[in-house]
Amino acid sequence: MSAHIPVTEEPGLSSVAATIPSSCLHDIFRAADRAERAGTEVIKLHVGEPYFGPPPAVAEALVDAVRGGRTSYTEVEGLLALREAVVHKLAVTGGADTDPSRVFITPGSCQGLSALLHTLAEPGAEILLPELHWPVHLQQALLAGFRPVFYPLDEHFRPDPEGVRAAASPRTRVLLVNSPANPTGVVLDAALLGELYGVARQEGWQIISDEAYEHYVYDGAHVALASLEREVPPADRIVHSTYSFSKSMAMTGYRLGYVVAANERTAKALRVVQEASIIGPSAPVQHAGVTALGLTGAADTHRKLVRHNRDTALAPLVEAGLLRGLPAGGWYAMADIGRTGLDAETFTERLLSTHQVAVVAGAGFAMRPGLDEFGRITSTAFPPWSRSLIRIAFCVDPEALSTGVARLLDFVRDMER
Ligand SMILES: Cc1ncc(COP(=O)(O)O)c(C=O)c1O
């Protein structure tokens, strides 16, 4: 582990939020924007924005709702029609067995995750996050008052259930699982999910299962963690799930997702959190969501597009030895550029300035904050192995992706000379 670097606090602002660095994604966003403003055309492999959009019927439903005046506040948990459609969808796809009273429609799954974390946070409680994680999971956990603890992943970025148990302490309350994973593209199979579930059950933890990429599994099948407790009485369930319309339906800017709370106790507290933070989700967007959930083939079409990208454009990275194998799911691949002799920050900066390709340096997905007693960050550290990783988004335009990967490989070859 590298040395802890002190975090400078904003003078006069000593909240937890003021000590949390903005995510690594924002640095590269800003750098790519600057390059574009200076007239350079940038190939954007740093951002998970799909090159396809939602089916036209989704936009029509949104416009119809607005024109038809269906724009009033809705229930805090969202329109009943949409929650019923979610329950039906989960029943037919083998997801959680649930009831509209435990479903919450949210402005993006990001807000759902944040609300769920606020619902589950207890003073001094620890949350277990994968050592390579989506930085927003960490930011949200800190903002909710959790103390993050990181569980190890093997060389294929898979968690070992006993490693997860070993990372825990008597203060552990929540285990966060994300399959398919951002940033690694790893998909956890039913056996491994079952083992993780068994550990959480034995230890008395809750689980948050982030299902944002549920429809993007290319090898094997997607298993929703909550489906493992279909036979458990709702009052005894421990798996809370978050879902997104952004990925499956390519509705990123609509901001629509949902939370399925494991049990009524959690649903009751989550209702308070939502009432106090959003009052309710946007009504017209929810109407668009009802239409989207009815378009059952769209997610399959989207998966095929991204799968095609993966198979064609990422294969050269595997052949060049930068990727161990093709990611089994999701929208991102984690490549290792260590052999160039550059750290990933320098690599991404130079790749952008010399080859006009934006990718994200991996360390930001592995930040280890040091905290004071109030949960404020006092230092940050990054495991050395994370400094040779870069994240590449492969949900983008196929031609841009292939060109971007070719340029990246040229750059690697140049650095090796
Ligand atoms: C793992 C993961 N969860 C949740 C989200 C949030 O998606 P949204 O808020 O758009 O539903 C993202 C977005 O990138 C993600 O990668």
Side-chain angles (χ1 to χ4, degrees):
M1 174 82 54
S2 57
H4 280 261
I5 304 158
V7 172
T8 36
E9 277 183 34
E10 291 280 321
L13 188 57
S14 52
S15 61
V16 169
T19 67
I20 301 176
S22 65
S23 93
C24 54
L25 303 167
H26 281 128
D27 298 340
I28 188 74
F29 260 108
R30 277 194 292 268
D33 272 1
R34 267 196 310 276
E36 283 200 319
R37 276 200 302 277
T40 310
E41 206 176 309
V42 175
I43 295 187
K44 296 176 178 162
L45 307 186
H46 60 303
V47 35
E49 187 65 64
Y51 74 98
F52 44 86
V58 174
E60 281 156 26
L62 179 84
V63 172
D64 284 353
V66 175
R67 292 233 160 93
R70 283 174 284 149
T71 53
S72 323
Y73 285 130
T74 69
E75 298 89 319
V76 61
E77 40 297 66
L79 285 172
L80 181 59
L82 183 51
R83 287 182 287 128
E84 284 174 345
V86 164
V87 171
H88 175 72
K89 174 232 159 187
L90 294 174
V92 297
T93 57
D97 153 62
T98 189
D99 180 272
S101 65
R102 301 195 293 276
V103 174
F104 289 75
I105 309 301
T106 58
S109 67
C110 200
Q111 197 281 331
L113 274 160
S114 169
L116 192 51
L117 286 159
H118 278 87
T119 303
L120 299 176
E122 295 169 24
E126 291 177 358
I127 183 168
L128 290 164
L129 301 177
E131 60 182 349
L132 266 174
H133 49 263
W134 185 42
V136 175
H137 285 148
L138 173 60
Q139 290 175 323
Q140 292 183 332
L142 290 164
L143 288 168
F146 278 104
R147 301 182 78 85
V149 174
F150 300 92
Y151 59 84
L153 303 175
D154 67 14
E155 70 274 26
H156 303 289
F157 303 127
R158 287 159 53 90
D160 156 35
E162 288 315 312
V164 173
R165 199 197 300 270
S169 84
R171 292 177 299 281
T172 303
R173 294 292 178 275
V174 176
L175 167 67
L176 187 135
V177 178
N178 175 214
S179 168
N182 177 4
T184 59
V186 158
V187 174
L188 307 185
D189 60 24
L192 183 48
L193 289 171
E195 285 179 57
L196 291 170
Y197 177 77
V199 172
R201 170 67 68 201
Q202 269 173 5
E203 301 289 338
W205 309 331
Q206 307 280 301
I207 297 180
I208 293 180
S209 184
D210 181 338
E211 306 282 355
Y213 297 94
E214 60 174 325
H215 284 112
Y216 293 91
V217 174
Y218 317 116
D219 303 328
H222 174 64
V223 178
L225 227 164
S227 69
L228 304 184
E229 52 180 17
R230 292 183 78 91
E231 307 307 323
V232 176
D236 296 335
R237 293 182 188 171
I238 59 169
V239 183
H240 313 280
S241 312
T242 58
Y243 288 88
S244 176
F245 284 74
S246 298
K247 322 291 174 184
S248 308
M249 298 306 296
M251 288 170 64
T252 51
Y254 279 76
R255 311 307 304 129
L256 190 62
Y258 50 95
V259 176
V260 181
N263 50 59
E264 292 294 343
R265 284 185 313 286
T266 309
K268 189 164 172 257
L270 181 53
R271 200 166 289 120
V272 174
V273 173
Q274 291 301 70
E275 192 175 21
S277 46
I278 60 164
I279 301 198
S282 154
V285 171
Q286 292 187 74
H287 287 289
V290 174
T291 297
L293 276 188
L295 303 169
T296 46
D300 287 344
T301 307
H302 296 158
R303 179 182 53 253
K304 284 180 192 144
L305 294 174
V306 184
R307 186 196 180 121
H308 180 260
N309 273 3
R310 177 196 81 143
D311 294 347
T312 51
L314 297 191
L317 291 170
V318 178
E319 281 152 31
L322 297 182
L323 271 186
R324 272 177 182 274
L326 295 177
W331 283 4
Y332 308 101
M334 243 1 195
D336 194 321
I337 50 81
R339 69 183 205 224
T340 61
L342 299 177
D343 63 70
E345 281 83 5
T346 312
F347 182 96
T348 53
E349 277 164 31
R350 289 211 204 151
L351 181 67
L352 180 60
S353 62
T354 60
H355 290 67
Q356 295 78 48
V357 178
V359 296
V360 193
F365 300 94
M367 189 175 92
R368 308 280 177 91
L371 304 184
D372 70 11
E373 62 183 303
F374 305 107
R376 294 182 296 214
I377 299 185
T378 52
S379 63
T380 55
F382 301 90
W385 50 260
S386 69
R387 303 213 95 121
S388 62
L389 298 176
I390 56 165
R391 192 193 73 171
I392 302 167
F394 58 93
C395 55
V396 302
D397 174 72
E399 220 179 292
L401 178 62
S402 294
T403 310
V405 168
R407 288 189 196 173
L408 189 151
L409 287 170
D410 281 348
F411 181 62
V412 168
R413 278 189 287 270
D414 287 351
M415 289 301 106
E416 283 175 333
R417 260 183 218 136

